[in-house]
Amino acid sequence: MTPSALESLMRRPFYKILYVQVLLAVVFGVVLGVVFPHAAEAMKPFGDGFIKLVKMIIAPVVFCTVVVGIAAMGDVKRVGRVGGKALLYFEVVSSFALVIGLIVGKVMQPGAGFNVDVSTLDVKSVSGFTNQAAHTSTIDFLLNIIPKTLVGALAEGEILQVLFVAILTGFALSALGPTGSPPSAICWS
Amino acid sequence: MALVLGTIAKLVGFNIFKLLYYIREELLIVLGTSSSESALPQLMRKLENAGASKSVVSLVVPTGYSFNLDGTNIYMTLATLFIAQATNTPLTLEHELMVLGVAMLTSKGAGAVTGGGFITLAATLAVVPEIPVAGMALILGVDRFMSECRSLTNFIGNSVATLVVARWEGELDLDRLHAVLDRRDVVALDASVARA
């Protein structure tokens, strides 16, 4: 460990480091769940609240970083090139991931021997998910990337919509040139 | 997947385990919340600190979060096979390829929806009617844990993706990356990273 890292650790007591807190909370949750299952279940709102707090700020953060990222590149062609490379890489690696899942499933046979009788399964528990799935076709999905209103994307927090609006805003700002820098400066801060 | 990402990391010029150690805080937060978006801002700061240019980080991380879901993808094909095997549904190669193709599409939006992985699984299963959708009830109980694994894999995959694209674009400061991953002293970009 470097002297400065050590120093910064000394300055901050360990219980103030976020991941230590998260770890402690996980351990505490497990213990509580074993000892007092009902009390533990009653704690759920705290966890949900924490996640909601974090998600609340995701949309503005993503919006600002993407706008700044595009505006900082200045050149629309470069944005396209980086985006293209990113998407190409995503597709290749995602396909790898899909194939890995397939091969592992083939080789390990995780479900073999269960011999589940489908009629005994509780369909109701999954019907909510299947209904939701049935309502999302590819075209709906693509159209859904375009938000109802410009600020609607940020208000709803749909991350794809936020991304879409942010990319457009970034392009617009970089097309404006120097005139566009005051708004980008706001996002920088 | 560790092998694939590790190899990719090696090609780019860094050690995947050092990267994991570097982003350990973010990984723990993802583990605690089982949602990869909870540590997104910190991850972006850390990747910038590790020598990837701001413009690449700010484009790749948010898009990867919607489009680069390695964990969700592994889960998708694996879960489909599991349900088919558990319910004694024979699958032809054609079926498997169909699942592969559809999962490629359906997984794209998974990050944006809460409990997304499960809904997209339902959408994927729908293309092979032979597999009983009711079989999903078998894995609903463990979905919380599966969701942890998906988020973690997605998150790591995304960190690697950012460094790859940065390198490809010639905007990765390799010296800085190694210095940061080896925990040597570097001039921090901003105070919050230095503290972390």
Side-chain angles (χ1 to χ4, degrees), chain B residues 22-196:
Chain B
Y22 175 59
I23 56 169
R24 65 193 181 284
E25 292 187 302
E26 286 68 31
L27 291 177
L28 278 172
I29 293 170
V30 170
L31 184 72
T33 58
S34 104
S35 151
S36 53
E37 67 186 6
S38 49
L40 215 60
Q42 286 100 313
L43 178 70
M44 290 196 276
R45 268 209 309 251
K46 277 212 167 169
L47 288 173
E48 265 177 57
N49 187 53
S53 76
K54 189 180 183 71
S55 43
V56 170
V57 170
S58 55
L59 264 182
V60 177
V61 176
T63 41
Y65 164 73
S66 312
F67 292 111
N68 184 34
L69 302 159
D70 305 337
T72 310
N73 279 333
I74 296 181
Y75 174 74
M76 212 71 91
T77 40
L78 197 53
T80 310
L81 283 189
F82 173 81
I83 294 174
Q85 287 163 0
T87 53
N88 293 328
T89 316
L91 284 185
T92 61
L93 185 68
E94 196 184 322
H95 285 147
E96 283 162 8
L97 290 179
M98 214 147 84
V99 168
L100 212 70
V102 172
M104 196 83 219
L105 269 179
T106 50
S107 65
K108 292 297 176 235
V113 203
T114 348
F118 215 68
I119 297 168
T120 44
L121 179 63
T124 313
L125 280 180
V127 294
V128 185
E130 284 84 357
I131 305 176
V133 178
M136 283 179 71
L138 286 173
I139 47 175
L140 183 62
V142 291
D143 191 57
R144 171 80 202 191
F145 296 101
M146 289 290 111
S147 167
E148 308 263 356
C149 302
R150 289 198 299 259
S151 312
L152 279 177
T153 317
N154 289 344
F155 197 75
I156 299 167
N158 235 333
S159 319
V160 175
T162 309
L163 294 175
V164 170
V165 176
R167 178 75 202 273
W168 195 356
E169 194 55 26
E171 290 190 18
L172 181 63
D173 186 345
L174 270 181
D175 293 336
R176 191 184 173 93
L177 177 67
H178 287 139
V180 169
L181 291 188
D182 290 339
R183 280 167 280 152
R184 267 181 275 141
D185 249 345
V186 282
V187 185
L189 284 186
D190 65 69
S192 49
V193 179
R195 262 194 288 115

